[in-house]
Amino acid sequence: MGRFRRLLAYLRPYRPLFGACVVAAFLAAALDGFTLALLIPFLRLLFETGGPGEVSTVVERVIDLMAGRWLDTGDRTTALRNVVLLVLATMAVKNAALFATDYIGSVIRERIARDLRTELHSHVHDLGLGFFQRAKTGQLVSRVVADADQATGVASNALVAGLQNLVLLGVYLAILFSLSWRLSLVTLVLAPLIVLVLRPILLGLRARIKTALDDRGELTAVMSESVEGARLVKAHGAERYERRRFAEATNRYLAGVLKARRLAALASPLSETMAAAVILLLLVGSWAADPQGIRPEVFVTFVVVSLRLLRPVKFLAQFPAVAEHSLGAAQRLFDIIDRPADDVDPPGSPPFPGLERLIEFRDVWVAYEPSRWVLHGVNLTIRRGEVVAIVGPSGAGKSTLADLLPRFLEPERGAVLVDGVPVQHYSRRSLRRSMGIVSQQTVIFNDTVRANIAYGETEGASNATVEAAARAANAHDFIVKLPQGYDTVLGERGMLLSGGERQRIAIARALLRDPPIVIMDEATSSLDPESERLVQEAVARLLANRTVLVIAHRVTTVVRADLIVVMEHGRLVERGRHTELIRAGGLYQRLHAMEGVGLPG
């Protein structure tokens, strides 16, 4: 019930709409019952089974009260015409109410889905990088798109339909009780049996739905990975492997869905069979109680209403199964929404005032998992205006150390300080605003060149400012040759650009912000000589007169750094200038001797 109540909380902003939807549903249900009740005067007039004033049941008295003046006209033909017109008018109003119910319910459902997606998307951006390193893109996309749609059903359409069918059930039972209350009691005795029969099915269905939703997310993840890595797949001839991997994920999802569908499908015939048994007993009981006392038009109406009773009974019996689909999807959303927001600041966090003297990494320890330390007591000082390069073999902890400064990660021990103040004292937003971060994995959005350069805080930058940044990054010349120049949409992940062009767009993005601190995850090792030259020139402009932390993938690119630190196994093992480290004959000298071999961080 906790998940259900939580979903209902999303209805609060739409209470007036939901109220209108419920009123329309109740009106439709009441008019449906009234239409069925009009069978009694219709059949009586059609077959002339009783006098026009003959009223013996509660239903007939209600009809006489509401429509007696149209039915008791003294002329059979006129009265029959009137009852037909009344039936048509009632059905027209009922169908209009049904339309309003369905449409308003859909509006509520889509708005709740939007609110869920917005909340989930917003919360995801409050989670630290650790979450994104563990999460699969496909799983996240599946939850935001598919699960949000699935979750809202029980809070809107299904809930309204449930209330409507509950009213229908009440109306039909009221009619049946008014026609024969003794026999109608049989329904109340046997109806709980349907719930008892369905309970074990619903318990099994809950587990199957959760598994099927997880399998769907995994399927999305596999598809997303194979599309994003299309170049790698083709380069390694792994098409057959990817087809097999996707087929396995598809088959797992299919098997899970079919198991859930089998249980859900079993609920319908069981509930219908049980309801039919109730009706059969009612009919047999009516004959046994008084085989000749029930007038034909009353008996026929009793049978029709009994048959119509199947629909609400069937829906209400299946409602828990429908709800489980929604609640299972909702739980997947809440699993993420309930994660603690670990990338937000407490209220009142002061803004970062800027770097005046130095940055210190003081006895910093970081672990991604308990007792698995990535950094071991690192101490490093970076003075304002210095270019400090971090080199070392793969897995040395270079990127981890750099991620501590913008607070992408937090140290378990030690501290990162700016001018003697821990960076945790300042708001993350202001701290990161003062930094230009150019990573090895350049992110290009499916948007225009202009929007990609003027991204984030600089979104409103003028055309002239954007162009100046592009020129400084050696990007202007290739941009103006694109089909629409700065207004060219670059495609998903910037597929229209080469690696060097993407890198220069990223440098232009950083130059536009004019940050006092730069973190550079150098990415020139895979570029052709001309692209590397252009990128290096752009990098030189970016680093000028700034405090810089460079993660070096090639030793030969950092020879002019003010300070070079060498890391190995999470420890800082050497430090000094290029010539000093070469003379020392340690790890740096060995890396330099490799003559330009890439050293990924």
Side-chain angles (χ1 to χ4, degrees):
M1 288 299 293
R3 292 174 298 171
F4 184 64
R5 291 195 201 97
R6 189 168 177 181
L7 271 177
L8 287 183
Y10 288 88
L11 267 175
R12 287 174 186 161
Y14 311 111
R15 281 178 293 188
L17 271 178
F18 185 74
C21 191
V22 170
V23 168
F26 278 28
L27 178 62
L31 292 176
D32 188 72
F34 184 66
T35 304
L36 292 177
L38 287 174
L39 275 173
I40 295 177
F42 176 76
L43 293 172
R44 186 176 63 221
L45 291 166
L46 185 63
F47 298 107
E48 301 183 85
T49 57
E54 185 178 335
V55 174
S56 61
T57 64
V58 175
V59 172
E60 290 172 286
R61 285 194 289 271
V62 170
I63 293 173
D64 185 65
L65 180 65
M66 298 179 63
R69 57 180 176 176
W70 289 291
L71 303 179
D72 190 12
T73 62
D75 176 56
R76 174 177 169 272
T77 302
T78 303
L80 190 59
R81 181 200 62 195
N82 288 348
V83 75
V84 170
L85 292 175
L86 190 57
V87 168
L88 293 175
T90 304
M91 290 181 64
V93 178
K94 181 193 78 171
N95 287 326
L98 286 174
F99 169 79
T101 301
D102 185 62
Y103 179 71
I104 297 173
S106 297
V107 170
I108 296 171
R109 173 178 177 145
E110 294 305 321
R111 290 185 179 180
I112 293 176
R114 177 202 60 191
D115 295 344
L116 276 169
R117 290 191 184 103
T118 302
E119 180 179 357
L120 181 63
H121 182 266
S122 176
H123 185 70
V124 162
H125 285 289
D126 287 338
L127 301 177
L129 285 183
F131 168 78
F132 295 97
Q133 291 167 350
R134 294 186 299 269
K136 292 184 176 181
T137 303
Q139 286 280 6
L140 284 176
V141 172
S142 177
R143 296 189 191 200
V144 170
V145 178
D147 289 351
D149 276 334
Q150 188 75 44
T152 56
V154 73
S156 54
N157 297 55
L159 182 59
V160 172
L163 292 173
Q164 183 179 9
N165 279 276
L166 195 61
V167 174
L168 276 175
L169 183 63
V171 170
Y172 293 158
L173 286 175
I175 295 174
L176 291 176
F177 268 87
S178 70
L179 297 176
S180 178
W181 66 268
R182 292 183 180 85
L183 298 173
S184 299
L185 287 175
V186 178
T187 303
L188 298 181
V189 174
L190 295 180
L193 293 178
I194 299 176
V195 178
L196 293 177
V197 170
L198 292 179
R199 182 171 177 78
I201 295 176
L202 296 175
L203 292 176
L205 184 62
R206 179 178 303 175
R208 297 295 187 191
I209 290 171
K210 178 68 165 58
T211 302
L213 290 173
D214 288 338
D215 289 339
R216 183 178 64 188
E218 187 64 25
L219 176 64
T220 308
V222 171
M223 182 65 185
S224 177
E225 289 171 357
S226 64
V227 171
E228 290 178 2
R231 185 185 297 274
L232 181 66
V233 171
K234 293 183 180 299
H236 288 265
E239 291 90 349
R240 182 179 300 175
Y241 168 76
E242 287 298 326
R243 290 189 186 101
R244 183 172 69 250
R245 195 162 71 106
F246 186 77
E248 290 171 355
T250 303
N251 289 333
R252 281 195 302 271
Y253 177 54
L254 174 64
V257 168
L258 290 181
K259 288 177 182 177
R261 296 295 185 192
R262 183 166 62 243
L263 289 174
L266 190 59
S268 177
L270 279 177
S271 62
E272 190 165 332
T273 301
M274 296 289 292
V278 171
I279 293 172
L280 181 62
L281 287 173
L282 283 172
L283 296 179
V284 172
S286 68
W287 177 82
D290 191 0
Q292 296 179 346
I294 299 180
R295 288 178 287 114
E297 68 273 14
V298 175
F299 181 77
V300 170
T301 303
F302 183 81
V303 171
V304 171
V305 175
S306 298
L307 292 173
R308 290 292 293 270
L309 190 67
L310 277 174
R311 189 179 69 183
V313 169
K314 179 180 176 181
F315 181 90
L316 293 172
Q318 289 178 315
F319 184 80
V322 174
E324 278 304 323
H325 279 281
S326 292
L327 296 177
Q331 186 58 54
R332 282 166 49 86
L333 296 176
F334 296 149
D335 285 344
I336 297 179
I337 292 174
D338 291 340
R339 287 177 177 269
D342 51 5
D343 196 44
V344 294
D345 301 302
S349 297
F352 178 60
L355 173 63
E356 293 294 333
R357 295 180 293 107
L358 51 84
I359 300 168
E360 295 177 82
F361 294 84
R362 188 180 295 175
D363 193 29
V364 170
W365 294 70
V366 173
Y368 289 136
E369 298 175 7
S371 71
R372 182 174 171 264
W373 295 101
V374 181
L375 295 182
H376 302 257
V378 174
N379 289 280
L380 175 64
T381 299
I382 304 172
R383 290 176 175 79
R384 180 179 176 180
E386 279 190 334
V387 176
V388 175
I390 308 174
V391 301
S394 176
K398 304 186 296 295
S399 296
T400 300
L401 183 64
D403 283 344
L404 293 171
L405 185 56
R407 296 186 64 191
F408 293 149
L409 297 173
E410 302 285 359
E412 275 74 23
R413 302 180 194 170
V416 180
L417 305 99
V418 176
D419 297 328
V421 180
V423 291
Q424 287 83 357
H425 178 70
Y426 304 116
S427 71
R428 288 174 171 86
R429 187 178 183 86
S430 65
L431 183 68
R432 293 166 185 170
R433 189 184 295 135
S434 69
M435 300 178 187
I437 301 172
V438 182
S439 65
Q440 182 183 12
Q441 300 297 327
T442 305
V443 176
I444 300 295
F445 296 96
N446 187 19
D447 207 335
T448 64
V449 175
R450 192 184 317 280
N452 269 281
I453 295 176
Y455 180 72
E457 298 292 336
T458 55
E459 184 180 356
S462 67
N463 294 342
T465 308
V466 171
E467 184 177 327
R471 288 183 182 276
N474 283 342
H476 177 74
D477 289 344
F478 81 79
I479 291 173
V480 294
K481 294 177 183 178
L482 294 173
Q484 284 81 42
Y486 282 84
D487 294 319
T488 301
V489 176
L490 295 177
E492 189 173 0
R493 298 184 299 278
M495 295 300 290
L496 294 180
L497 304 178
S498 67
E501 289 169 342
R502 286 197 293 271
Q503 195 68 18
R504 280 177 276 166
I505 291 290
I507 293 171
R509 184 187 294 158
L511 282 166
L512 186 64
R513 299 180 68 180
D514 192 23
I517 302 171
V518 172
I519 298 174
M520 187 78 186
D521 191 350
E522 189 185 31
T524 61
S525 59
S526 60
L527 302 180
D528 61 82
E530 178 61 18
S531 294
E532 182 173 354
R533 181 186 66 80
L534 292 170
V535 170
Q536 289 288 15
E537 289 178 2
V539 168
R541 296 189 185 101
L542 174 63
L543 304 189
N545 303 316
R546 292 182 171 89
T547 305
V548 182
L549 186 61
V550 176
I551 302 170
H553 297 266
R554 294 198 301 181
V555 173
T556 54
T557 63
V558 296
V559 294
R560 289 184 293 275
D562 298 306
L563 175 67
I564 300 171
V565 296
V566 185
M567 297 189 66
E568 185 177 30
H569 303 307
R571 291 179 170 84
L572 202 158
V573 295
E574 292 181 289
R575 72 179 70 207
R577 296 180 71 89
H578 172 71
T579 54
E580 297 169 350
L581 294 172
I582 290 294
R583 285 197 299 266
L587 177 59
Y588 180 84
Q589 192 277 333
R590 295 196 301 272
L591 294 174
H592 186 266
M594 298 171 72
E595 292 295 336
V597 175
L599 301 168

